[in-house]
Amino acid sequence: MKKIKNLLCAAAALVSASATGALGANIDGPKVFWKLSMWGNPRALSDGMEKLSELAAKETDGNFQIKIFYGGQLAQARENLDGLTVNAFEGAAICNFYHPGRNPAWMVFSLPFLPLGDPKVDRYVRSKLFEHPAIVADMERWNAIPYVSGLLPQYEVLGKGKAPNDLSDWEGLRVRAGGGLGSAMEKLGAVKQTLPAGETAIAFQRGALDAAAFPYTYAHVAFKIHEEADWFTSNLAPGTSECGWVFNKTAYEALPPQYQEFLMNNRDMVMQVEQEAYATQDQKNLPLFEESLTKVTYSDEQLAEFRERAGKPVWDEWINANKDKFDAQGLFDAVWQYAEEAKAAR
């Protein structure tokens, strides 16, 4: 009788475990361990991929493991494309302006004043662009495939010294800003610097930098720029860039189909977590900035002047410089086409 009771208890435990997903896996497959290369510390940009890692382990009962290695453990920020080429790891975050010559089509993301201010529009446009032939071809040269956008918010600038309340005050300021955003700052007379994020605070401390443009507000705090700054711009919104996630093409193609399907089916989830993380950081960071830094707010007239000087001229220069490398005009036009599609669908 005792034996029967024990068997019944064991059976009940098995049913309970199966109901809660404690045993078994929703996705069957082999044991796979993926390493993703990332610079800096865990932050909003990596929250979505951390969630993907958790979900992969849960859905496969631990068979598909994805681990992000931070702090440049696997490769430095400018070396992630090289690491993918030699199959040193299975995925990485990349920032397009860290190596503009290596991903020329991706530099479209860094052009100033693109119609990406609305988070929903931004997400739609970038998702579509990640499937654009020119964007895909950029990564194929490095044995990589685009996965998801980092959906970086619009940039603002934090700096030391006299606050640039007038556009003329940017003259001569050494500003950390890459790509077309850096070109836009040059139109104001600033001196463009393209430091990796992790080196920026040190550059401030050494007196080698006056200001830095970062995704507002999470990246300024993630890299401790606010601790070095005296002022911040609140509505310049000159543009953004693309620090997105890419996979090693060889590693991805070696995955069983069910793992590939899992990854592709969870792109929206990754981006949703990213955007929620940015919003959460803003709630914490904005009061901190308001309390400890001088706020710079530009008038509509000043912003219109900035866009006139640093909008279309920078676009035209970029298109002309890249017209023989890929269909630069077509890629640029696609940004606006996708933005219109997103707006029409709302």
Side-chain angles (χ1 to χ4, degrees), residues 165 232-235 295-299 302:
N165 293 302
F232 73 101
T233 63
S234 62
N235 68 334
K295 182 177 181 178
V296 178
T297 303
Y298 294 102
S299 67
Q302 288 174 310

Side-chain angles (χ1 to χ4, degrees), residues 122-123 126 149-153 242-243 271-272 274-275 278:
D122 186 37
R123 181 163 157 181
R126 291 184 193 243
S149 167
L151 297 178
L152 296 183
E242 183 54 72
C243 294
M271 290 185 288
Q272 181 65 29
E274 286 174 349
Q275 287 189 324
Y278 295 141

Side-chain angles (χ1 to χ4, degrees), residues 25-42:
N26 292 325
I27 303 173
D28 292 324
K31 287 191 176 296
V32 175
F33 179 63
W34 266 27
K35 305 178 297 296
L36 307 187
S37 179
M38 179 61 162
W39 64 95
N41 298 318

Side-chain angles (χ1 to χ4, degrees), residues 115-154:
L116 303 178
D118 182 296
K120 291 183 179 179
V121 172
D122 186 37
R123 181 163 157 181
Y124 179 87
V125 172
R126 291 184 193 243
S127 295
K128 293 282 286 186
L129 286 176
F130 262 48
E131 299 174 353
H132 192 283
I135 297 297
V136 172
D138 261 3
M139 289 300 104
E140 283 185 338
R141 286 192 286 272
W142 303 100
N143 190 38
I145 59 173
Y147 181 54
V148 293
S149 167
L151 297 178
L152 296 183
Q154 287 287 308

Side-chain angles (χ1 to χ4, degrees), residues 222-240:
F223 293 102
K224 302 186 185 303
I225 308 306
H226 67 300
E227 296 180 3
E228 306 297 330
D230 300 318
W231 52 264
F232 73 101
T233 63
S234 62
N235 68 334
L236 194 60
T240 179

Side-chain angles (χ1 to χ4, degrees), residues 264-318:
M264 293 305 167
N265 285 347
N266 281 289
R267 288 176 291 182
D268 281 339
M269 181 277 295
V270 172
M271 290 185 288
Q272 181 65 29
V273 172
E274 286 174 349
Q275 287 189 324
E276 290 174 355
Y278 295 141
T280 298
Q281 288 299 309
D282 284 347
Q283 292 175 358
K284 299 177 182 177
N285 298 339
L286 284 172
L288 176 65
F289 287 10
E290 297 268 2
E291 180 180 339
S292 60
L293 305 175
T294 298
K295 182 177 181 178
V296 178
T297 303
Y298 294 102
S299 67
D300 291 342
E301 292 75 18
Q302 288 174 310
L303 293 174
E305 180 186 349
F306 184 27
R307 293 190 182 98
E308 181 178 352
R309 290 168 57 180
K312 190 173 185 302
V314 174
W315 302 342
D316 291 343
E317 289 170 7
W318 180 81

Side-chain angles (χ1 to χ4, degrees), residues 161-175:
K162 181 179 180 293
N165 293 302
D166 297 315
L167 295 183
S168 60
D169 293 334
W170 290 95
E171 184 75 34
L173 291 184
R174 297 162 298 175
V175 182

Side-chain angles (χ1 to χ4, degrees), residues 151-198:
L151 297 178
L152 296 183
Q154 287 287 308
Y155 278 49
E156 290 293 347
V157 185
L158 270 65
K160 297 187 77 166
K162 181 179 180 293
N165 293 302
D166 297 315
L167 295 183
S168 60
D169 293 334
W170 290 95
E171 184 75 34
L173 291 184
R174 297 162 298 175
V175 182
R176 186 265 186 196
L181 176 56
S183 298
M185 300 309 298
E186 287 181 318
K187 297 296 184 184
L188 294 181
V191 180
K192 179 175 68 175
Q193 307 285 327
T194 55
L195 296 170

